[in-house]
Amino acid sequence: MKVGSTPTLTSKSSTLADDVFEQLRASIVKGELTPGSKINEPQLSKQHGISRGPLREAIRRLEGCKLVEIKPNVGANIVSLEIPQVIEIYEIRESLEGLASRLAALNASTEDCQKLRSLLTEHELHIHSQNGRRYYQREGDLDFHFQIVQLSRNSRLFDILCGELYHLMRMYRVQTANEPSRPVQAFKEHHQIVDAIEQGDGELAELLMNRHISTARKALLARLDAKPQTKFSENIDAGASAHQ
Amino acid sequence: MKVGSTPTLTSKSSTLADDVFEQLRASIVKGELTPGSKINEPQLSKQHGISRGPLREAIRRLEGCKLVEIKPNVGANIVSLEIPQVIEIYEIRESLEGLASRLAALNASTEDCQKLRSLLTEHELHIHSQNGRRYYQREGDLDFHFQIVQLSRNSRLFDILCGELYHLMRMYRVQTANEPSRPVQAFKEHHQIVDAIEQGDGELAELLMNRHISTARKALLARLDAKPQTKFSENIDAGASAHQ
DNA sequence: TAAGTAATTATTGTTGACAATATAGCCATG
DNA sequence: CATGGCTATATTGTCAACAATAATTACTTA
């Protein structure tokens, strides 16, 4: 076995466009690029030390993830998530992660289930400190869901949830520095879901995951009704305009 | 004061990248660009009379739709759908269109339902001719589903289904020049779904749509079990295809 | 002949410059 | 004072050339 070889050990050899895509995605999710703001191509390309060509390709990939919106001859804007749009995402998550849970129950081996358990117990260690609570809400929660999706063995499902929706979820959670929600209850529900998966009960796992996400969605809906705020309430009958 | 203004009346003013993206997407779905084949940038750019810059942006958009797969420093290949991957898509459609039907039942006005009805009756006119049957299977079917998704008023759901999955569905249906499936039965099921939506029964609409898509998925699964492996097996039991 | 290797070709990745469009600032005018 | 049009600026869209990498060919050697 040669030691000094493996030419690209530290610096992985991918294209500039792909690299800057990941950097930009991270920046957007972290909120370093503020939602709604405009992307200035010359500035960004100079910042990242690359030309505008690869940058534009990266932006097109971000558009595919729905992290930016491009208007021809005008430019790209960082997407800004309002509560109604987050509710839309929750509706989709409800369906899709229910499916993922059902499939996971069919596919998961005993080792897989053990892995899920250990993930949950690890989260349990963090959950008691305030710091840990935030960790659990922000990352641990999606980590768990991520594992479930992987167990579904549906690669396209994985793409949609982990390639798009979860990034948007993280972005929203960072935006609204809110937390606490109900970490203890959520934790219990996670365990119940693993129970169902462990027993190979796909239907139950699907139902439990549906309820789990539905709860969060309804909480969001309550917040929406509470503050009909800004911009004339769109919740009344927002869809009268049959666009397209 | 010049009068002959409105410069772009016939020619819509979008970017070259967006135009060629739509052209390429159509070519891929129609099968003009054969699945699995490689994309040659200089050749394609010359064919479309544009430079490689906008072309590469278009390819990146195609990657977002999962119509091509890009490998760094190698190039993009037209995606090739095998049955297992189509089954994955059906699983997702089942969940997502069930959701769409449920939401549509909540949102649809009487006019919306009339529109759905007229769409179905229009399809009924075509369904009797062999030609029409193919039309119904190929286009009419997805047209109906398209309308349901619009009625859900969930823009992100619309993006996923109509922006990605339906194009892949069309592509697959063109690839496998097969049909007939079961157009009459499917037609009945469509009417049942509209019934449920008309009555505002979201749960029923969801269940019916689930069953509707599930049937197609299971038929595909049967085909997968029938010929467990590699291509070149369709000539073995080709005796069943008496027609044509 | 087969296999490995070096040279050649083709294709992708990247860049900087140019053209087209939109944005802003300014001045004139009601 | 507000408004409309004009100029100037900035930004996006497009292109052609160059660099880097992969694919192919030709050649050498066992």
Side-chain angles (χ1 to χ4, degrees), chain A residues 185-217:
Chain A
Q185 179 60 23
F187 190 73
K188 267 202 252 177
E189 291 171 7
H190 283 181
H191 265 294
Q192 285 179 329
I193 291 170
V194 179
D195 288 342
I197 291 176
E198 208 158 22
Q199 292 161 17
D201 190 340
E203 288 187 23
L204 181 59
E206 178 167 24
L207 182 138
L208 290 173
M209 181 63 91
N210 275 336
R211 265 208 324 224
H212 175 60
I213 299 180
S214 177
T215 305
R217 195 198 77 232

Side-chain angles (χ1 to χ4, degrees), chain B:
Chain B
M1 52 178 89
K2 317 162 189 174
V3 184
S5 60
T6 59
T8 58
L9 206 154
T10 56
S11 71
K12 56 181 181 187
S13 68
S14 63
T15 76
L16 288 185
D18 291 338
D19 287 346
V20 76
F21 161 75
E22 289 177 13
Q23 290 175 28
L24 289 179
R25 184 174 61 182
S27 294
I28 294 173
V29 170
K30 285 186 203 159
E32 295 166 5
L33 287 160
T34 59
S37 67
K38 191 173 174 320
I39 283 184
N40 189 316
E41 291 182 9
Q43 174 192 329
L44 253 191
S45 64
K46 210 159 274 183
Q47 243 170 4
H48 287 260
I50 65 173
S51 168
R52 278 179 56 218
L55 174 65
R56 284 173 66 89
E57 290 185 31
I59 292 175
R60 275 270 144 78
R61 286 196 63 186
L62 292 174
E63 183 192 24
C65 301
K66 303 289 156 59
L67 286 171
V68 306
E69 291 169 348
I70 301 179
K71 273 176 274 185
N73 290 316
V74 174
N77 288 326
I78 311 294
V79 77
S80 171
L81 286 183
E82 305 303 324
I83 291 185
Q85 291 149 351
V86 181
I87 289 177
E88 284 191 352
I89 295 177
Y90 268 104
E91 287 177 342
I92 296 171
R93 280 189 62 194
E94 204 171 318
S95 276
L96 252 32
E97 297 201 30
L99 166 64
S101 302
R102 174 155 50 87
L103 294 176
L106 303 182
N107 293 328
S109 66
T110 43
E111 299 99 288
D112 293 330
C113 291
Q114 283 176 352
K115 211 168 143 195
L116 280 176
R117 288 283 183 211
S118 64
L119 182 66
L120 287 184
T121 53
E122 185 190 343
H123 289 163
E124 199 167 25
L125 293 178
H126 290 278
I127 205 173
H128 296 301
S129 67
Q130 183 61 270
N131 212 332
R133 174 170 303 180
R134 181 174 297 134
Y135 160 79
Y136 179 68
Q137 274 303 114
R138 285 258 178 89
E139 295 301 324
D141 179 61
L142 283 183
D143 262 7
F144 174 74
H145 290 260
F146 180 90
Q147 292 294 337
I148 300 279
V149 176
Q150 267 197 325
L151 290 177
S152 78
R153 307 240 179 100
N154 183 318
S155 62
R156 200 164 295 269
L157 187 56
F158 181 88
D159 286 343
I160 295 175
L161 283 170
C162 302
E164 271 194 46
L165 299 187
Y166 286 174
H167 291 290
L168 290 167
M169 290 300 304
R170 290 187 212 272
M171 179 181 174
Y172 177 73
R173 289 184 182 178
V174 172
Q175 254 186 68
T176 69
N178 87 339
E179 330 284 314
S181 291
R182 29 159 217 134
V184 179
Q185 179 59 24
F187 190 72
K188 265 202 254 179
E189 290 172 6
H190 284 182
H191 266 294
Q192 285 179 329
I193 291 169
V194 178
D195 288 341
I197 291 176
E198 209 159 21
Q199 292 162 18
D201 190 341
E203 288 187 23
L204 181 60
E206 179 167 22
L207 182 137
L208 289 172
M209 181 62 91
N210 274 337
R211 262 203 332 218
H212 175 60
I213 299 182
S214 177
T215 305
R217 195 198 77 231
K218 283 170 185 164
L220 216 57
L221 227 162
R223 273 186 53 189
L224 179 63
D225 292 339
K227 19 178 151 176
Q229 55 217 5
T230 57
K231 304 109 194 187
F232 60 79
S233 63
E234 44 242 309
N235 45 0
I236 293 178
D237 63 337
S241 66
H243 62 282
Q244 195 197 7

Side-chain angles (χ1 to χ4, degrees), chain A residues 111-144:
Chain A
E111 298 99 288
D112 293 330
C113 291
Q114 281 177 353
K115 211 168 143 194
L116 280 177
R117 288 285 182 211
S118 64
L119 181 66
L120 287 184
T121 53
E122 185 189 345
H123 289 163
E124 199 168 25
L125 293 179
H126 290 279
I127 206 175
H128 296 300
S129 65
Q130 185 60 272
N131 213 331
R133 174 171 302 181
R134 179 175 299 132
Y135 160 80
Y136 180 68
Q137 275 303 112
R138 285 258 178 90
E139 295 300 325
D141 179 60
L142 283 183
D143 262 8
F144 175 73

Side-chain angles (χ1 to χ4, degrees), chain A residues 19-57:
Chain A
D19 286 346
V20 75
F21 161 75
E22 290 177 12
Q23 290 175 28
L24 288 178
R25 184 174 62 181
S27 294
I28 294 173
V29 170
K30 284 188 205 160
E32 295 167 6
L33 287 159
T34 58
S37 69
K38 191 173 174 318
I39 282 185
N40 188 314
E41 291 182 8
Q43 173 193 328
L44 252 191
S45 63
K46 207 159 281 183
Q47 240 169 1
H48 287 260
I50 65 172
S51 169
R52 276 180 57 219
L55 175 65
R56 284 173 67 87
E57 291 185 31

